[in-house]
Each structure stands twice: as structure tokens, then as C-alpha cells.
Amino acid sequence: MAIEPSDSIVHLGKNDSGLIANGYESHGAHSDSESGQSDDDDDDSDEPHSAAIASNYQRLAVACDDGCIRLYNAFDTDGLTYIRSFPRVSGRILSVTWSHDAKLIFSGTNDGLIRCWDAISFHEAYRITVGLGGLGSGPELCVWSLLFLRCGVLVSGDSTGSVQFWDSCHGTLLQAHTFHKGDVNSLATVPSHNRVFSAGSDGQVILYKRSNETLGVGNDELPKEQIMKWVYVGYIRAHTHDVRALTMAVPICREDALPVEKVPRVRCQEKPIDFSYHKWAHLGVPMLISAGDDTKLFAYSAKEFTQFSPHDICPAPQRPSVKLVHDTVLDGASVLLVQSSVWLDVFLVKLDGTVAPSVSSGRNTITQLLARLKSKGSRKIICSTISSTGMLLAYSDHVKPCLFELRRHKGGKSRWSIDKLQLPKGLPYAHCMVFSVDASRLMIAGHDRKIFVVDVKKSELVHTFVPQRKVEDMNFPPSEPPITRMFTSSDGQWLAAINCFGDIYIFNLEIYRQHWFISRLNDASVTAGGFPPRSSNVFVITTSSNQVYVFDVEAKQLGEWSRRHSYHLPRRFQEFPGEVIGLSFPPSSSSTSVVVYSARAMCLIDFGMPINREDGEYPNGSDLLKYDSSKNARAKRKRKNFDQESSPNKNKNFDFCAFGDPVLFVGHLSENNLLILEKRWMEVAQNFDAPVHRHIFGT
């Protein structure tokens, strides 16, 4: 598919705050600093030269397998409206793109031809034969990708591994590169259109840069002739399998400046661990994103492509929903609920007392599968929850919510069974569910944007909350975004509900009234939250910008810790590796700490300890711990733990621990023990199909 270029996108994107529409940059933004290449046209003035469209829609061109290009009107509110089709051609149309003035449409087929169409008369203007070296066209030459540049150059990528640059006025070949060892699947360009990226089945992402060369000496009568060339700069191979898609994005979210700190440099023998991409990812700076068959998303610096390593956006597959409750009725053991697509697994988790905690190898837990609950008709499970007792389960599919009880039998082949309990009729399916601390009530956040409070024993609907921004608007119909997260306090008084955009609603479960509304903080979504066991009036959240906020719920204000430190956290935490996806409180009423974690690392924050802003950044610090559950790492960890026990206690606030494999969940089993669920990437990659086979001549 290809959307018609329009000036209206840029005009709508510019506002007083300086934010601009995604895909474009303001004039005179950041300069290009790619080493080894320079030219007079290498600026970042990204004013598009497309034809202005006065209407409130754009046209969408869709390439179809039946040999037709279909044209639609794409409205902002009414979706797509069919206009008409171009004449049918033989073969499949695999790629399509617009010219910068929206007067021409180019299409590529599986017979090695590029056709130029008049977007007004719907007639074919000319065609190009793509094949190099006498290959010509044929049923085995596929034009997978097309890209039109504002300078009038058409770029094509095909199944022979060629990236070719064409003169769009005459259909003649200007230049060709054959650095790919397989099909070229996708093309992309920066907003200034002076760089082109290609990606293919060999896993490479290659950069080509525009360069102007001058021919002839020239004088007043004979001016110098400028020739445009596209120079190969370099490649990065971060993917293990085929790269299927490339896109260019320009970050438009708010960017808070990091506090200026004098950070002492720490000498260390090992190479520093640098997760951070803050060196090149900035507001208004183009960012290239690639997606491959290895399920990976990588982000690259479009301006300094070869100078920085790509950033792994998603280090782990889509993580399952995991709930951990401790001190259950099952002899005080912990119970783990793991949500899969069509079933729930309930595990009993016990600590292995034969292994001393000081030499823990990461495998000192005993897990036992108690039960597996499958959804009715293999319907996809949207959300689930487990009670603090470990005996009540609830989940919702796209039809309705369901409630179950886990029962233990003394005799028989199976010691455990799951019995279904009744819920009030008419409840909608839910986006989120949570039990109260005493397991007497179940809160259900329905898709109709209401929160239902159900008495579990009586199977009655006790109350219905309608989240509102203003407490006095309680009688208004639901109009807020859907609730996606809910948390309850340890005394059962407070319910915190968070919508998908990061707004927070606090409800009093004793008098069934909305207590407080907290608007989203710095336009960031909430990634994790919870009430610590120490104080039920304290609510802690983390946001997608990796900020930590502590609220005093009863006083309806930021807590004292946040007022002092939230906007002055150490730099090493603001550059936390990855997005924070969860937090865990120690199950102790005397503890003042919390563990926040991402898929790459975890950090211990103690609200009762001072924050030393003179600490070194963790990438260069010698005290960054590494957690690795492999066999080779266990012996090293034992020696390290012994050394740490023999040395004085050097615990500091904001201590980090890096993970060796992607982590899905971190939770406290006790005050001094953490349960870490990881998914080794090699186990995931073994389930993939083999990458494309490249035949080597003579083998």
C-alpha cells in the first residue's frame, strides 16, 4: 500500500510547541555527521515538494495479486471509500508508490517490470525492464519494493538482490548496487531524501548516500556539470533472519533534559555494558526501524547509521501475564498464575531449603503444576487474576468474565480440581480484573468503560464505578478511555484504576466513591504500579519514560519522596536499560524498598535511603551485577557471593542488576528472595524456520 503525499500532513503537525508530524523535520535541524561522506546537498531541510490537497482526505493505492491497482479515498473519520481500479496487467503486483506531486503511480510486478501510471487518466505511461546483465524480465524476477525520491529518482529492490536507481522522467537506469545476497524486501529514506536504506532476506540493512560529482573544469561560457551519484556507505546485520519491513520515524514525544551531574569515571577491566541509545535517539531526529522474521524490531540512527549499534526494541517475545501471590492458604507457599492465549496455569512455588541463599544459583525453587484451566471453545483469554489466598481464579475472554475456585482432594488420582462459580448475569467482557485483599470482592473493568464490584460469596453486583475526570460528574455516561490496569491496597480501602493512556482514578471501596483523578504525567503511559505493604495510603507507579512517582492517596498529592526526587533521579536510572515493565514490593511491613525491572535489568530503590547523585553511571561502573542462570556462570557467582559476604556491606540506593537473558517477570517470594522468570532467546529462535539459503557456487 502507498498513501498519497500531501502538504497538509506537515501543516497539521506544526504547532506552538515545536512538535511536528511524524516523518518530517523542521528546517535546519540536526546536521549530518556520517563520517567519510560529504556533499553540498546533505542538509536536513525537509520541506516536502508534494502537491497540496485541499480536501480532508488522501488517496490510498493498493497493489493486488490479481494484477490491479485499486484506489481508495482515506478519510480521517469514515475509513476507506473505493474510487476505481487501474487496468489489469499480467502477473501479481507486489509493490506500489506515488510520485512526489501525486500525478504518477509506479507499480512493480513478479515478471520483472516497473510500470508508470498516470494517476489522473489511469493510463500506462511507460514501463521499465528491471533485470540486470541481460536477465531481462521473467516470471522469477520480483520487484518487491519501490521508493520515489523528491529529486525525481525512483528506487527499486528486487529478488536478484539489486537496488537500482532510475530516472523517473525517461525510465532509464542511473545506477545499480548488488550488495545484497538475497531478495531486497524493503526500502526507506530519511525525510530529507538524501539517504536510502535497503533490507533483504540476507538480514542486512544497507545505507546508500547521495553524492554530487562535478565534471569538467568549467568557465563563464561552459558551466560545470553536476552528476548525482548514490554511494554505498555500509551495512548492519542485526537480524538473524529475513528483514521484511523498514520504516522511518521521527520521535515527537516530550523530551526532558537530564540533570547535569559531575560523574566520576571508574576504572574497570571489563568493557562497559552500554544499553543506552540516548546518545542518538532525540526529539526530531530521524530513526530507522526494521522488522524481521526473527520477531525482532531494531532501531537505528538514520544520520549516524554506522557509528552506533542498533537498539533492540523488543528483547523478548510478547510476555505472558504473570501474577504471584505469597503466604497463601497452601501451607504458606507462593502460587504463580501464568496466562497463555487459551489457558491458565497454576503453579505452586516453594524455596529449596537445601541450598543456602548466599550461594543461590538461580535454580533453588521447586515448582509444581497444580492445575491447567482451558478457556471455553479455545477462546482467547484477555485478562486474568488470582486471589491472595491462591484459591480463586478469574479470567475474561471476548464473550464474558468467568470465576473459578481451586479445590484440594484428599484421595483419588487427581489431588486438585477446578470448580466454576457463578457471577452476576449481564457482565461485559473485561480488559482488567483484580481481587480485593481478603478475596471477598472481584473488581472487573469492562469494555464498556465501567468498573463492576462483585461480591464473590453472594454472587451479587455490589457497585458500579464510572471513571470520570471530575468527581462531581459521577452521573455522566462513561466517556473515559478503557481501564487496562488495577491495583488494590493492603487494607482493602483503595482501588487504583489506570487507563490505556496513563490517567489514574482512585476509588474508595469503603464508601464506593471516586476519591481522586490524576492526569497522565508528562504524557507518558503507566507501565507498572502497586501499593506497598508498609503503607496503604502510598501508591507507586512507573511510566514509559522510566520515571518513578510516589503518591499520597489520602492527601491527594505527590508524596514527599516524589516532591524531592522524582525530577532529579540519578542519570543512571533515567538511562535504565529498556522500558520498566513491572515492580515488586518485599512482603514485609517494615520494608521501604521496591524492585523495578525491565526485560534487560532490575533496580533496587529504597525510599528510606538518601539518593547519592554523585554515583557513577552504571554502564561505566564496576559494581553493576550480572544475573546469568547458565551453568558456566554459577561457579563464578558462588565465588563472587563469597567475596561479597567477606567484604563490608556496600549497598547503595538505585543498585542495578543486568540480566543475561530476556526476563518476563520478577517477584518477591520472601523479603530476601526474588523469583525471576526468563525466556532464553535461543529457545525462541530454535522454533523459527531456517533463514533463506544462499547457494554458494561449486558446492
Side-chain angles (χ1 to χ4, degrees):
M1 298 188 294
I3 194 71
E4 179 181 15
S6 171
D7 268 342
S8 60
I9 296 180
V10 183
H11 299 325
L12 291 174
K14 295 181 180 179
N15 51 40
D16 296 336
S17 64
L19 301 184
I20 51 179
N22 205 359
Y24 295 93
E25 266 194 282
S26 58
H27 298 287
H30 301 266
S31 62
D32 198 331
S33 59
E34 184 72 51
S35 60
Q37 300 292 336
S38 64
D39 55 74
D40 297 335
D41 296 329
D42 192 14
D43 57 44
D44 295 310
S45 177
D46 296 321
E47 180 182 0
H49 301 277
S50 57
I53 299 176
S55 57
N56 61 345
Y57 62 86
Q58 293 173 268
R59 290 176 293 176
L60 178 71
V62 181
C64 303
D65 271 357
D66 60 358
C68 279
I69 300 176
R70 288 173 171 82
L71 215 57
Y72 296 85
N73 282 334
F75 295 91
D76 292 338
T77 56
D78 299 331
L80 300 179
T81 302
Y82 174 73
I83 303 176
R84 63 164 294 178
S85 297
F86 285 78
R88 182 170 298 177
V89 300
S90 60
R92 303 161 54 204
I93 300 183
L94 305 174
S95 53
V96 64
T97 190
W98 292 80
S99 64
H100 66 88
D101 56 5
K103 294 181 179 179
L104 300 175
I105 293 180
F106 300 88
S107 64
T109 57
N110 66 336
D111 55 2
L113 295 177
I114 299 175
R115 290 178 170 86
C116 176
W117 303 88
D118 191 309
I120 300 175
S121 65
F122 291 84
H123 292 160
E124 181 179 334
Y126 62 84
R127 66 181 64 177
I128 301 173
T129 301
V130 174
L132 285 175
L135 290 177
S137 62
E140 296 183 357
L141 203 160
C142 299
V143 182
W144 291 116
S145 184
L146 291 173
L147 177 68
F148 192 91
L149 305 177
R150 287 200 298 266
C151 59
V153 172
L154 177 68
V155 190
S156 67
D158 57 56
S159 57
T160 65
S162 300
V163 177
Q164 302 179 64
F165 296 82
W166 307 88
D167 183 344
S168 63
C169 295
H170 305 94
T172 55
L173 180 65
L174 300 176
Q175 204 169 349
H177 293 287
T178 56
F179 292 98
H180 283 284
K181 304 300 189 294
D183 297 40
V184 178
N185 296 324
S186 185
L187 299 168
T189 183
V190 295
S192 56
H193 285 212
N194 57 5
R195 291 161 176 253
V196 172
F197 298 89
S198 65
S201 59
D202 56 357
Q204 291 187 105
V205 178
I206 296 179
L207 168 62
Y208 312 92
K209 187 176 177 182
R210 188 177 66 191
S211 176
N212 292 342
E213 292 187 0
T214 303
L215 295 182
V217 179
N219 50 42
D220 295 338
E221 298 179 358
L222 297 175
K224 298 179 181 179
E225 182 181 358
Q226 296 283 338
I227 295 181
M228 182 191 306
K229 283 193 174 184
W230 293 89
V231 181
Y232 168 84
V233 176
Y235 76 94
I236 293 178
R237 182 185 279 118
H239 292 273
T240 58
H241 289 63
D242 303 24
V243 182
R244 291 292 181 182
L246 291 176
T247 191
M248 190 67 58
V250 179
I252 59 175
C253 63
R254 182 178 303 172
E255 183 178 43
D256 297 324
L258 296 177
V260 179
E261 301 177 10
K262 295 182 179 179
V263 181
R265 298 182 64 89
V266 180
R267 294 181 177 273
C268 55
Q269 295 180 354
E270 298 182 1
K271 185 178 179 180
I273 302 175
D274 193 356
F275 295 96
S276 175
Y277 58 99
H278 293 272
K279 295 179 181 178
W280 56 265
H282 299 291
L283 181 70
V285 179
M287 176 188 300
L288 179 71
I289 300 176
S290 65
D293 283 351
D294 55 1
T295 75
K296 287 288 188 178
L297 287 170
F298 285 101
Y300 313 77
S301 171
K303 294 184 175 299
E304 298 168 304
F305 181 71
T306 59
Q307 296 183 18
F308 294 102
S309 299
H311 171 65
D312 189 352
I313 298 176
C314 184
Q318 183 175 359
R319 60 190 183 93
S321 176
V322 179
K323 303 286 193 308
L324 177 67
V325 291
H326 25 67
D327 296 332
T328 64
V329 296
L330 303 177
D331 301 327
S334 299
V335 175
L336 190 71
L337 176 69
V338 180
Q339 174 187 317
S340 299
S341 57
V342 294
W343 67 74
L344 300 175
D345 285 333
V346 183
F347 292 93
L348 186 67
V349 182
K350 292 184 178 181
L351 292 174
D352 188 358
T354 61
V355 180
S358 59
V359 292
S360 172
S361 62
R363 296 178 181 269
N364 63 327
T365 55
I366 301 174
T367 58
Q368 175 188 355
L369 179 62
L370 300 183
R372 169 169 290 185
L373 174 62
K374 296 184 179 180
S375 62
K376 183 177 180 180
S378 297
R379 293 196 289 253
K380 182 175 176 60
I381 297 176
I382 300 175
C383 60
S384 61
T385 187
I386 186 171
S387 66
S388 58
T389 61
M391 304 303 288
L392 293 177
L393 314 172
Y395 78 84
S396 177
D397 51 31
H398 62 275
V399 176
K400 64 177 182 179
C402 301
L403 177 63
F404 298 89
E405 183 178 10
L406 187 65
R407 296 182 184 273
R408 177 169 18 187
H409 301 284
K410 294 183 179 180
K413 184 177 181 181
S414 177
R415 295 185 55 193
W416 298 93
S417 65
I418 297 179
D419 298 337
K420 187 173 183 179
L421 304 181
Q422 292 296 323
L423 284 175
K425 295 182 179 180
L427 292 176
Y429 72 85
H431 290 301
C432 181
M433 311 170 77
V434 66
F435 281 100
S436 60
V437 176
D438 58 0
S440 62
R441 290 170 293 183
L442 174 64
M443 276 64 73
I444 301 173
H447 73 92
D448 58 355
R449 305 182 182 187
K450 298 180 181 179
I451 300 177
F452 303 90
V453 183
V454 177
D455 189 305
V456 174
K457 293 183 179 179
K458 298 180 180 179
S459 184
E460 294 179 354
L461 181 62
V462 178
H463 189 76
T464 302
F465 290 114
V466 180
Q468 298 289 353
R469 291 179 175 267
K470 297 181 180 179
V471 179
E472 56 268 18
D473 296 341
M474 289 300 101
N475 296 326
F476 284 32
S479 59
E480 292 296 290
I483 300 297
T484 55
R485 301 176 188 272
M486 290 194 297
F487 308 95
T488 56
S489 60
S490 57
D491 62 355
Q493 180 181 5
W494 305 111
L495 169 67
I498 304 171
N499 66 27
C500 55
F501 293 111
D503 300 319
I504 305 173
Y505 314 87
I506 305 294
F507 301 95
N508 192 324
L509 294 177
E510 293 181 349
I511 59 176
Y512 292 113
R513 286 180 58 87
Q514 181 170 330
H515 176 72
W516 190 19
F517 169 76
I518 308 170
S519 182
R520 65 199 69 166
L521 301 163
N522 291 334
D523 297 327
S525 60
V526 176
T527 57
F531 291 88
R534 178 184 176 88
S535 176
S536 298
N537 291 322
V538 174
F539 183 53
V540 183
I541 65 167
T542 59
T543 65
S544 55
S545 58
N546 284 356
Q547 290 288 342
V548 179
Y549 296 96
V550 180
F551 297 99
D552 188 333
V553 175
E554 192 168 11
K556 298 183 181 180
Q557 64 182 13
L558 273 176
E560 182 182 356
W561 188 90
S562 278
R563 292 197 300 270
R564 290 184 177 181
H565 307 299
S566 276
Y567 299 99
H568 304 282
L569 295 178
R571 180 189 294 266
R572 65 182 186 276
F573 182 78
Q574 295 194 27
E575 297 186 357
F576 192 82
E579 181 180 285
V580 174
I581 59 176
L583 53 82
S584 176
F585 298 100
S588 172
S589 59
S590 61
S591 176
T592 59
S593 63
V594 62
V595 172
V596 299
Y597 64 93
S598 68
R600 294 187 177 95
M602 62 181 176
C603 174
L604 175 67
I605 303 176
D606 195 327
F607 299 117
M609 291 180 63
I611 296 179
N612 185 5
R613 296 187 180 89
E614 298 300 324
D615 291 343
E617 296 182 53
Y618 69 85
N620 296 325
S622 59
D623 58 346
L624 174 63
L625 300 177
K626 294 182 184 179
Y627 170 78
D628 190 352
S629 62
S630 61
K631 294 181 178 179
N632 295 333
R634 291 208 296 271
K636 296 181 181 179
R637 189 183 301 109
K638 291 180 180 180
R639 292 193 296 270
K640 185 175 182 179
N641 289 336
F642 178 79
D643 295 338
Q644 289 176 348
E645 289 175 356
S646 60
S647 62
N649 188 10
K650 296 182 180 181
N651 289 335
K652 296 184 298 183
N653 210 355
F654 289 90
D655 269 350
F656 281 86
C657 175
F659 298 135
D661 292 295
V663 166
L664 309 178
F665 175 79
V666 174
H668 280 85
L669 291 176
S670 64
E671 188 174 0
N672 298 318
N673 291 279
L674 277 174
L675 174 68
I676 299 177
L677 298 182
E678 64 180 17
K679 185 65 176 179
R680 297 178 182 174
W681 179 246
M682 290 307 299
E683 296 179 3
V684 180
Q686 288 174 358
N687 297 323
F688 297 154
D689 294 332
V692 65
H693 176 69
R694 297 192 295 272
H695 178 72
I696 301 176
F697 182 77
T699 62

